[in-house]
Amino acid sequence: QTGSAMVRELLGGSQPRATRVVAYGNSRLPTYSGAVRAENFEARQASMEELATTSKSQITGFDNIFIHVGTQRGKVGLEQQIQLEFDHTLAVAQAAFAAGCLTCHLVSSVGASPSSSVTYLKTKGRVEEALKTIGFQRLVIYRPASLIGGDRDVPGLKRTMVSCLCSLGILAKIDVNLVAVAMRVVALRLSVGTVEVLENAELLRVAATASST
């Protein structure tokens, strides 16, 4: 999971890079197995729909919010997937901003564009544009290619097809752990009043040059 990888990046090492991390998960909670004090990490069970509606009051006290909505179209259908990716994502970001959050990080997708003919990429592009209007001091958009690694290595027809396409060079790929490294590096940069968009090649470059300390 990208969430668990990000938690490791923020809390791992000899000195944690964040004073407090609250990680939300829907069907599976983000995990962290390292040594950490209880006040530094908390995993909460909540869906994006709940965070956008009944549990909105939980989104308070954060300097940074990281949003990554996984694809659930096979489970919920196209209409609900669009609502999840656009309406609920926007509602969560607005709630965080209203509660004083200054920086929003969004994991989008390579090829995201509001003018795309592909519904998935069009929705991602619409979310990117909508987040720009909220007023965050800093908005960082990450556009990774096909994600591999973590629980995405679990065998299955869909993952096998993606793996084959990546091996053939038809699809670009990036490991979720490298995405998390790049996100950690970028998040800790001192930058205010900007909108940053990092494409897959830049994510790989940042991760490759990142210090492990």
Side-chain angles (χ1 to χ4, degrees), residues 121-133:
L121 299 178
K122 182 176 183 177
T123 304
K124 292 289 189 183
R126 289 179 60 219
V127 171
E128 292 181 3
E129 293 304 311
L131 290 179
K132 294 176 183 178
T133 69

Side-chain angles (χ1 to χ4, degrees), residues 8-191:
R8 290 193 296 272
E9 285 298 318
L10 293 173
L11 295 177
S14 56
Q15 292 292 331
R17 301 175 178 93
T19 56
R20 180 170 177 256
V21 174
V22 178
Y24 292 90
N26 184 10
S27 58
R28 292 167 295 184
L29 288 177
T31 59
Y32 180 66
S33 58
V36 63
R37 289 181 296 188
E39 63 266 27
N40 293 135
F41 175 63
E42 180 182 356
R44 297 178 183 175
Q45 189 94 31
S47 67
M48 282 292 289
E49 181 179 5
E50 290 169 335
L51 289 174
T53 54
T54 57
S55 299
K56 189 179 294 186
S57 60
Q58 292 189 30
I59 313 173
T60 184
F62 305 124
D63 297 318
N64 291 262
I65 182 170
F66 297 83
I67 303 176
H68 183 194
V69 179
T71 300
Q72 300 181 31
R73 181 175 173 179
K75 298 179 180 179
V76 302
L78 177 59
E79 184 176 344
Q80 284 187 268
Q81 178 65 31
I82 293 174
Q83 184 180 40
L84 173 66
E85 298 233 22
F86 185 81
D87 298 290
H88 295 163
T89 295
L90 192 58
V92 168
Q94 289 170 331
F97 178 74
C101 182
L102 302 177
T103 302
C104 178
H105 301 262
L106 174 74
V107 179
S108 183
S109 172
V110 63
S113 170
S115 61
S116 176
S117 59
V118 179
T119 301
Y120 173 77
L121 299 178
K122 182 176 183 177
T123 304
K124 292 289 189 183
R126 289 179 60 219
V127 171
E128 292 181 3
E129 293 304 311
L131 290 179
K132 294 176 183 178
T133 69
I134 291 179
F136 286 105
Q137 286 189 8
R138 187 184 185 204
L139 170 64
V140 188
I141 297 168
Y142 307 88
R143 291 178 176 169
S146 181
L147 295 171
I148 61 172
D151 61 359
R152 291 168 178 81
D153 283 340
V154 175
L157 177 59
K158 183 177 179 180
R159 296 312 310 168
T160 300
M161 290 176 62
V162 170
S163 179
C164 289
L165 291 173
C166 289
S167 298
L168 293 171
I170 298 174
L171 284 181
K173 62 182 178 180
I174 186 170
D175 192 283
V176 292
N177 296 295
L178 294 181
V179 174
V181 170
M183 290 175 66
R184 179 259 297 174
V185 172
V186 173
L188 295 178
R189 289 176 181 168
L190 295 178
S191 178

